[in-house]
Amino acid sequence: DTEVTQTPKHLVMGMTNKKSLKCEQHMGHRAMYWYKQKAKKPPELMFVYSYEKLSINESVPSRFSPECPNSSLLNLHLHALQPEDSALYLCASSQEPKRSYEQYFGPGTRLTVT
Amino acid sequence: GQNIDQPTEMTATEGAIVQINCTYQTSGFNGLFWYQQHAGEAPTFLSYNVLDGLEEKGRFSSFLSRSKGYSYLLLKELQMKDSASYLCAVRDRGKLIFGQGTELSVKP
């Protein structure tokens, strides 16, 4: 199983809503990532979890709050977002954080903030 | 600073060969990855180079020269389904830094 799953596929939320994005992998990977991707742009790294601990936060606004409940799950909690936060949010995982293994990406959640 | 450059767009003909170049200047280097991304889909891994030289995988090959900060992705026997964005990414201190992507259009 080389799959990373993400739910929901699409999400529309108002600026006062609270929602969560979910990501799951069962490959035994110990590094998990959140990326944001705008149209016709490359993915931008937001957060890295290494062995379930937050290891990198790319100066992401606090309205985005990541959580790693266990080694297979990664959540991204959203609160008080802005319309410019509308984007494709990609989750990825890789085998070992300290070495260069390829990252496997999930299909993404397309988020629209109204 | 971190800088990864690749052409914005390329066009090629079905059955032909195309080479997509990538140059990089990064603070650190732990390998270079190429990903393919079809519109509206997630990136998929194509190749990885950490040592100088050519890595071949079917119709796809990738080359790296660390001293020149240069890589290329070679696609042979192009098919229509190869129309996609190709992303060059450098691993630097635990992070993948992506180039802007090259949009490849394959025409009949």
Side-chain angles (χ1 to χ4, degrees):
Chain A
D1 181 9
T2 57
E3 192 179 23
V4 177
T5 59
Q6 290 186 243
T7 55
K9 286 189 176 179
H10 300 275
L11 178 62
V12 179
M13 61 186 288
M15 290 189 283
T16 57
N17 291 158
K18 282 186 183 181
K19 296 286 184 183
S20 296
L21 309 185
K22 296 187 183 302
C23 173
E24 192 166 2
Q25 57 87 15
H26 293 288
M27 296 178 277
H29 288 179
R30 304 314 303 267
M32 295 186 77
Y33 311 81
W34 279 115
Y35 288 88
K36 173 182 177 180
Q37 187 175 27
K38 298 283 244 183
K40 298 199 180 293
K41 295 288 186 184
E44 292 176 34
L45 182 66
M46 300 174 73
F47 302 104
V48 180
Y49 271 83
S50 173
Y51 293 96
E52 299 153 57
K53 290 190 179 350
L54 183 65
S55 60
I56 296 177
N57 176 343
E58 290 287 275
S59 303
V60 179
S62 60
R63 57 185 184 270
F64 295 91
S65 175
E67 179 198 18
C68 191
N70 61 55
S71 60
S72 299
L73 293 174
L74 187 66
N75 298 323
L76 186 63
H77 303 297
L78 314 173
H79 174 53
L81 295 194
Q82 304 296 310
E84 59 264 29
D85 296 323
S86 298
L88 180 67
Y89 287 84
L90 293 163
C91 173
S93 71
S94 65
Q95 188 172 338
E96 164 61 53
K98 293 182 181 177
R99 295 177 62 188
S100 284
Y101 290 99
E102 64 266 32
Q103 293 183 17
Y104 292 85
F105 284 83
T109 293
R110 189 158 297 283
L111 175 68
T112 303
V113 181
T114 61
Chain B
Q2 315 280 52
N3 195 41
I4 301 176
D5 283 321
Q6 33 179 149
T8 306
E9 296 176 329
M10 297 184 73
T11 302
T13 305
E14 193 175 15
I17 299 173
V18 72
Q19 178 174 311
I20 303 174
N21 296 324
C22 171
T23 58
Y24 63 90
Q25 287 179 302
T26 54
S27 303
F29 181 84
N30 295 117
L32 188 143
F33 295 80
W34 284 94
Y35 281 83
Q36 179 192 62
Q37 187 174 26
H38 286 99
E41 298 182 12
T44 54
F45 169 75
L46 290 178
S47 71
Y48 168 64
N49 296 72
V50 66
L51 299 176
D52 291 352
L54 189 67
E55 294 284 340
E56 296 187 78
K57 212 189 240 189
R59 293 190 300 115
F60 296 82
S61 304
S62 58
F63 171 82
L64 176 68
S65 168
R66 287 171 297 168
S67 62
K68 294 181 180 176
Y70 168 69
S71 174
Y72 68 72
L73 179 70
L74 194 71
L75 293 78
K76 303 176 189 173
E77 300 168 17
L78 280 173
Q79 302 174 10
M80 299 299 290
K81 67 178 183 179
D82 296 329
S83 292
S85 182
Y86 290 85
L87 298 160
C88 170
V90 171
R91 181 180 160 97
D92 177 9
R93 291 168 291 180
K95 301 190 290 188
L96 265 191
I97 304 164
F98 285 89
Q100 292 296 305
T102 299
E103 193 69 37
L104 175 66
S105 297
V106 180
K107 305 214 178 291

